[in-house]
Amino acid sequence: MREFERKQLLERVDREAATVGASIPETLDVQGEELELREFVFEVKAVDRVPADRREDVEEAKKLLRRERMERRERLEDGDITREEGEELVDAIVGIDRALNALESLGTTSLEAEIEANERADKKRWFSFLKEALGHDDEEGIRR
């Protein structure tokens, strides 16, 4: 591959809008293991938040995808590859970016924990209001 072709491919990878219209690869070979990437992302994304029992899996997948993206980009940048191999790498990298965007946009807190935190905050505000309305002061007792 000629140097200007390599630069064009790298520019496509680094473009901010590169993932617009891109699809998540059905499968991806990550560190010699076949990962059912599209199915995994859609399964986790279907619930809008990462279920507690899947948090570790999602974090591990993101870590693997970031590492794989970096390795493929380095290969595109420095490797002895053909133009066709470069095109395949670009498509894979953009697909990885698309999957990472989808996984990173998920909320990581559980709905129950969020509800509990809101209830605690409501109770705290309520007790604070009652203390002030009734004239109670924690240090001096009842104010008059």
Side-chain angles (χ1 to χ4, degrees), residues 83-138:
R83 172 74 182 193
E84 291 77 27
E85 290 171 323
E87 291 283 346
E88 289 173 12
L89 282 171
V90 168
D91 290 341
I93 292 168
V94 170
I96 290 170
D97 286 345
R98 178 74 176 87
L100 279 169
N101 288 344
L103 292 174
E104 288 174 348
S105 70
L106 293 171
T108 56
T109 60
S110 72
L111 190 56
E112 294 84 15
E114 195 173 319
I115 290 170
E116 285 180 24
N118 285 338
E119 287 176 355
R120 280 194 306 273
D122 288 345
K123 284 180 184 177
K124 186 175 181 180
R125 282 191 298 272
W126 179 246
F127 282 120
S128 181
F129 168 76
L130 285 177
K131 281 182 182 179
E132 190 171 322
L134 295 174
H136 290 260
D137 188 357
D138 289 338

Side-chain angles (χ1 to χ4, degrees), residues 40-52:
F40 175 75
V41 170
F42 285 128
E43 177 185 317
V44 174
K45 192 110 167 107
V47 293
D48 281 337
R49 293 197 180 275
V50 180

Side-chain angles (χ1 to χ4, degrees), residues 71-84:
E71 288 173 6
R72 288 180 189 222
R73 190 184 186 293
E74 286 174 0
R75 184 167 171 229
L76 179 63
E77 192 171 12
D78 302 327
D80 184 23
I81 57 175
T82 65
R83 172 74 182 193
E84 291 77 27

Side-chain angles (χ1 to χ4, degrees), residues 30-41:
V30 179
Q31 313 271 318
E33 244 182 81
E34 194 75 15
L35 176 64
E36 298 287 333
L37 187 58
R38 185 179 301 162
E39 182 181 326
F40 175 75
V41 170

